[in-house]
Amino acid sequence: MTELAAGFSDSIKNALAVLPDKPGVYLMHDAEGKVIYVGKAVVLKNRVRSYFRNLASHTPKVRAMVAKIAEIETIVTSSEVEALILECNLIKKYRPRYNISLKDDKTYPYLKVTVQEDFPRLFATRRLSRDGAKYYGPYADAGAMHATVKLLRGMFPLRTCRKMNPDRPCLNYHIKRCLAPCAGYVSKDEYRKMIQSVCMVLDGRTTELERDLKRRMQEAAENYAFEEAARLRDQLQAVERLNESQKAVTNNGGDMDVIGYGQDMTGICLQIFFVRKGKLIGRDNFFLHDDGDEPREVLTAFVKQYYNEATFIPKEIILPYLPEEDELRLITSWLTEKAQRKVELLTPQRGVKKDLLQLADDNAAKLLEERLRKGSLSLKNDAQAAEELQQALGLPHSLERMDCFDISHTQGSETVASMVVFRNGSVSKKDYRKYKIVSAEGKPDDFKSMQEVVYRRYKDYEDLPSLVVIDGGKGQLSSALEVIRGLGLAELPVVGLAKREEEIFVPHQSESILLDRDSAALHLIQRIRDEAHRFAITYHRKLRGKRNLVSVLDHVEGIGPKRRQELWKAFKTLDAMKAADVEALAAVEGMNRAAAQTLYDFFRLELPEKKEILK
């Protein structure tokens, strides 16, 4: 334990000393005993101890979490898969503050078909039970789910009563909305065929259902059961209309879920397209809080939590970012075992699947834009919010322009800064600026980085704002003020916004300003701060990705500057390049099969020096 960082309590040190050398799940508790994080590990001893070593290398989120840990609890499991399942269930149970959570505080509904009953029903439920029934979902859009129920009940005369009254049929029978099984007007076999049709629609097997209904209709007509034939004809026509409304997206008739990713100042949106038998039959979306996690981490957590509860797992799950290699292997194994057939997680590089993924990404971004627009309308309009903020800060002039700055880096490397601009309370993207920081490169120094960016922005006195917002507390504010005042801008208003308590720090005021949680002024300054953070981290990730790509390709024989450039153009990310096959690599302009094979082999060789490069 010599590598343990200083400052931790004896109880933490004692807990770390007796950690088991086995797979399992760990729970981090705060001083009040509340679970704040749940994780899994192949080797509990190694994984848990890593949180308490070299704290400077962790993300701000992890450092904040570690500072609150008062107790560590572990649960040993017999395998990695068992640990993964337990992790999902414990996250669902405790909703820990520092886990990426699929749901906030609500349970999404399912459609339930009570196939265990003699005469099954179809209805919505929020509770999953092991009662022999079939469940479909979860549905994030409850409105779409209820529309599905209405459609199916219009197509098929299902019973809706909880308890059947054998005395006489209800009104639904007389308006042809029920076959009156309570009165014995329909046999169990005939009713069950109808339920099978309902399940086929929910499974997306509408083409197969069409063939079945046609066959049964013809048999009924040949047997002179014209009333039954007419009922089947009506069902067939309804299914044909539904089938026409569903868009065919693939030629292979496969099942897949396509998960798109979107992110903006309001949070993260995941959009799922459900493709069944080659047809797009529906979609769902989920909104998550943005706590600064990488898209790969968000998607990995989502896949585990979503498919832990999902009632159907398709053969392919299409993602914009795949989990890390070990995690990918574990999740694939778990889903394959759960589905009782092979399941793959893929990031396509071209073709129909790539187009579908892009469409899902675009839809996720559109939903975020709509949510932002609705959110701004539900508060006050932007100009009113700016006026309210001006009054709260005691400024003598209106906030015609607000500049906000943020810094982003990884342990001091690829340090960047962002400046976002709001005019009269509204986003002004044409005024955004991004900066590569040179004064603090190689060492994490947010204060020095902030001083560099505000100097570069204000040294020429161009288009001065009504207010400068610094993302950070008193330290960042003081650093920025030193430069701004040194430039002779004594009257330029500058404030700092600390994220933990949403405190606004004003120069020469000992007490910070705490705005009402529901005030338009607070929402406005939060929006500009979050937008600056998003803009900075997006730029940082882009630079880091380019740096990693070049550093890797520098060590591959036969890959020179021109080929590096064309590979970067074709694949955009290192992960995409690693996932490509030899044919795809050889198809890049300037490449040949020999160079493609060398690059393909390089990504798959287990060399110590290569691992060091890829870090």
Side-chain angles (χ1 to χ4, degrees):
M1 296 299 295
T2 55
E3 299 177 15
L4 181 66
F8 293 107
S9 65
D10 290 339
S11 62
I12 292 290
K13 293 177 181 178
N14 293 336
L16 295 177
V18 295
L19 287 168
D21 192 10
K22 294 180 179 179
V25 172
Y26 54 93
L27 297 86
M28 306 296 199
H29 298 258
D30 62 13
E32 298 176 357
K34 185 177 180 180
V35 177
I36 59 173
Y37 188 77
V38 174
K40 64 166 179 58
V42 179
V43 180
L44 283 167
K45 178 176 66 176
N46 297 342
R47 182 71 184 100
V48 176
R49 286 180 179 178
S50 69
Y51 286 98
F52 301 89
R53 297 170 177 157
N54 193 14
L55 294 181
S57 66
H58 295 317
T59 63
K61 176 182 173 181
V62 173
R63 290 199 298 270
M65 180 193 78
V66 171
K68 293 184 177 181
I69 297 173
E71 182 187 348
I72 303 168
E73 178 186 356
T74 60
I75 303 172
V76 175
T77 60
S78 58
S79 66
E80 292 178 61
V81 171
E82 188 179 325
L84 186 149
I85 297 170
L86 181 57
E87 177 197 30
C88 293
N89 291 332
L90 290 175
I91 290 173
K92 179 184 176 183
K93 178 179 179 180
Y94 291 112
R95 301 285 176 218
R97 165 66 182 85
Y98 291 98
N99 279 99
I100 299 168
S101 181
L102 167 58
K103 302 169 187 175
D104 296 325
D105 57 354
K106 59 183 179 291
T107 303
Y108 290 101
Y110 293 80
L111 285 182
K112 180 176 181 178
V113 183
T114 58
V115 293
Q116 78 277 19
E117 297 178 343
D118 290 338
F119 296 98
R121 296 170 294 144
L122 167 71
F123 57 90
T125 181
R126 292 183 183 271
R127 179 178 298 176
L128 286 172
S129 304
R130 294 186 178 181
D131 53 5
K134 274 192 172 184
Y135 293 87
Y136 296 88
Y139 292 87
D141 186 346
M145 181 200 65
H146 289 299
T148 302
V149 173
K150 184 177 180 181
L151 171 69
L152 290 170
R153 285 179 177 166
M155 292 168 62
F156 304 101
L158 303 168
R159 80 175 179 97
T160 57
C161 50
R162 292 187 179 184
K163 294 182 179 179
M164 295 193 296
N165 183 359
D167 295 336
R168 59 184 176 82
C170 66
L171 179 62
N172 281 337
Y173 169 73
H174 296 289
I175 62 173
K176 301 188 182 301
R177 288 297 184 91
C178 180
L179 297 179
C182 56
Y185 291 176
V186 61
S187 68
K188 290 182 182 179
D189 289 342
E190 186 180 352
Y191 192 93
R192 190 153 293 276
K193 287 179 182 177
M194 185 171 62
I195 287 295
Q196 289 171 352
S197 299
V198 170
C199 293
M200 290 171 78
V201 172
L202 291 172
D203 286 332
R205 296 156 54 199
T206 50
T207 303
E208 186 180 339
L209 176 57
E210 276 188 52
R211 291 197 296 266
D212 183 59
L213 289 174
K214 282 180 183 177
R215 178 185 57 78
R216 289 165 57 196
M217 181 182 68
Q218 290 168 356
E219 289 177 358
E222 289 170 1
N223 294 328
Y224 303 103
F226 298 118
E227 188 173 339
E228 170 68 8
R231 185 172 62 81
L232 291 169
R233 177 204 61 204
D234 294 341
Q235 291 178 6
L236 175 60
Q237 290 173 349
V239 173
E240 285 174 341
R241 287 194 298 271
L242 176 64
N243 206 9
E244 288 171 3
S245 69
Q246 293 173 344
K247 181 182 177 183
V249 293
T250 64
N251 295 324
N252 60 9
D255 295 338
M256 70 178 79
D257 286 353
V258 183
I259 303 178
Y261 181 93
Q263 182 180 17
D264 72 358
M265 68 179 76
T266 65
I268 295 168
C269 178
L270 299 177
Q271 172 86 65
I272 312 181
F273 285 167
F274 303 112
V275 179
R276 301 293 181 263
K277 305 300 179 185
K279 291 191 175 183
L280 181 60
I281 68 166
R283 64 179 186 174
D284 267 346
N285 57 77
F286 296 85
F287 291 100
L288 309 177
H289 294 296
D290 183 3
D291 292 324
D293 299 287
E294 296 281 343
R296 182 196 309 279
E297 296 172 0
V298 174
L299 286 160
T300 300
F302 176 82
V303 166
K304 291 191 291 187
Q305 293 179 49
Y306 181 80
Y307 291 104
N308 187 49
E309 295 189 35
T311 55
F312 176 79
I313 301 173
K315 292 181 180 178
E316 294 180 335
I317 299 171
I318 309 299
L319 299 162
Y321 304 94
L322 290 176
E324 296 291 350
E325 190 173 340
D326 290 342
E327 192 81 351
L328 176 62
R329 174 189 54 78
L330 178 60
I331 291 174
T332 302
S333 173
W334 166 57
L335 292 177
T336 296
E337 182 180 334
K338 187 176 171 72
Q340 295 297 301
R341 53 174 164 68
K342 186 178 181 182
V343 176
E344 289 185 279
L345 275 64
L346 307 169
T347 298
Q349 303 304 313
R350 61 182 58 80
V352 174
K353 294 176 185 177
K354 173 68 174 177
D355 295 340
L356 266 177
L357 182 58
Q358 184 61 56
L359 185 62
D361 285 344
D362 293 344
N363 273 268
K366 181 173 177 290
L367 285 169
L368 286 169
E369 288 177 11
E370 291 174 356
R371 189 170 77 156
L372 177 61
R373 186 167 61 250
K374 290 176 182 176
S376 63
L377 290 174
S378 67
L379 297 170
K380 296 180 178 179
N381 67 47
D382 295 334
Q384 287 176 314
E387 183 180 350
E388 188 176 315
L389 180 59
Q390 172 207 339
Q391 293 171 354
L393 297 177
L395 299 176
H397 47 73
S398 61
L399 300 181
E400 294 181 4
R401 172 176 173 141
M402 297 167 59
D403 292 357
C404 184
F405 296 89
D406 188 30
I407 307 295
S408 181
H409 59 79
T410 300
Q411 294 179 248
S413 65
E414 301 293 355
T415 302
V416 301
S418 69
M419 181 191 76
V420 301
V421 177
F422 278 28
R423 291 187 181 270
N424 295 312
S426 300
V427 171
S428 179
K429 289 196 174 183
K430 67 182 179 65
D431 295 311
Y432 283 19
R433 298 291 182 269
K434 51 194 178 186
Y435 303 84
K436 283 185 181 180
I437 300 299
V438 296
S439 60
E441 185 59 28
K443 53 187 180 299
D445 192 335
D446 288 355
F447 298 158
K448 195 170 185 180
S449 299
M450 187 63 72
Q451 288 183 324
E452 178 183 331
V453 69
V454 295
Y455 173 78
R456 289 166 64 181
R457 164 65 179 93
Y458 298 119
K459 62 184 174 66
D460 296 324
Y461 291 78
E462 291 181 358
D463 197 8
L464 293 178
S466 312
L467 176 68
V468 177
V469 180
I470 303 298
D471 182 14
K474 291 183 178 180
Q476 285 91 337
L477 176 60
S478 298
S479 300
L481 270 175
E482 184 180 337
V483 172
I484 291 172
R485 298 297 182 245
L487 289 169
L489 300 173
E491 302 301 320
L492 182 60
V494 185
V495 298
L497 179 62
K499 189 166 187 177
R500 178 170 295 181
E501 299 296 335
E502 305 293 15
E503 296 175 273
I504 300 176
F505 293 100
V506 180
H508 314 304
Q509 286 188 19
S510 56
E511 296 292 327
S512 61
I513 297 175
L514 287 173
L515 299 177
D516 188 281
R517 289 286 176 181
D518 296 323
S519 71
L522 178 61
H523 286 291
L524 174 60
I525 201 168
Q526 285 174 326
R527 279 176 59 203
I528 193 170
R529 186 269 316 279
D530 293 344
E531 178 67 351
H533 176 71
R534 180 199 67 79
F535 194 49
I537 202 167
T538 300
Y539 183 41
H540 169 67
R541 286 170 180 165
K542 181 179 179 181
L543 291 182
R544 188 179 62 195
K546 286 184 178 180
R547 180 200 67 193
N548 289 345
L549 180 67
V550 172
S551 66
V552 170
L553 298 186
D554 276 343
H555 295 78
V556 182
E557 187 178 350
I559 306 296
K562 283 192 176 180
R563 282 179 174 170
R564 278 204 306 268
Q565 186 177 6
E566 292 302 327
L567 285 165
W568 168 243
K569 255 193 233 177
F571 294 101
K572 310 298 183 190
T573 68
L574 182 61
D575 286 334
M577 193 180 301
K578 289 169 69 176
D581 56 22
V582 175
E583 286 71 22
L585 294 170
V588 174
E589 187 174 346
M591 290 286 286
N592 55 38
R593 188 166 183 85
Q597 187 67 54
T598 301
L599 181 58
Y600 181 85
D601 292 341
F602 174 81
F603 283 132
R604 285 153 184 81
L605 285 174
E606 293 299 326
L607 300 175
E609 58 270 25
K610 191 195 82 172
K611 290 183 178 179
E612 192 64 32
I613 295 166
L614 289 171
K615 279 185 179 178

